[in-house]
Structures are given as structure tokens and as C-alpha cells.
Amino acid sequence: MDLSIIIPTFRPFEEYLYPLVDNINSVGSRHSYEIVVISQKKPTRDNVVWISEDGRRGPIWGINYASQTRESKYCIFITDEHDFTFFVAIKI
């Protein structure tokens, strides 16, 4: 795996996470990537790896845990309120 895109979230998926995940998957890539979501509830989108958050441990816990357990060459950490379109220019 080339890239792990790590997203901790606790907000409603329909408003925050799903638009971001759909945007990431629509960009296309010449590299292999996975979208790693850390949350209490399991997301239902393509190309998503779920890490269950037992209680509210916070985004820093999720980022640290995910970055230590992934086997990708690179990690990107973003929040659920970002837009991923800037990566179109660099073609992840």
C-alpha cells in the first residue's frame, strides 16, 4: 500500500465523512491508497478501512493508533471537514 488517508471522526457521516470519502474516491490515483476511518460507528463506503474507537478517545489517539498500525509507505491525516480536491493537481 502506498498511501493511508487517515480520518478520525465523531460527527454525522452523511454530512461530513461521506462527502469527503466520495470526493477522495472520485479523484483517481496512480498509487494504491486506503481511507482509514477512526470512529465509533462503522462507515459503509468503498475503499474504507474502519478502526473502531471504543468510547471517545479523541482524534490524536486515532491518528497515532492508525499511523502505528498501517503498513503504507505514507500517511496523510485530515479531518472530516476538509475537501480533498487539491490532490487532483498532484495526482496521488
Side-chain angles (χ1 to χ4, degrees), residues 12-61:
F13 289 173
E14 293 76 21
E15 296 174 47
Y16 293 92
L17 180 67
Y18 288 161
L20 175 59
V21 169
D22 294 345
N23 181 249
I24 293 168
N25 283 326
S26 74
V27 170
S29 176
R30 62 181 178 211
H31 302 285
S32 60
Y33 70 95
E34 63 183 354
I35 302 166
V36 182
V37 174
I38 302 98
S39 63
Q40 294 178 354
K41 180 178 138 187
K42 185 175 182 174
T44 57
R45 283 294 196 266
D46 291 337
N47 206 26
V48 170
V49 174
W50 178 51
I51 295 177
S52 177
E53 182 181 16
D54 183 25
R56 292 276 309 272
R57 294 181 171 206
I60 300 303
W61 173 87

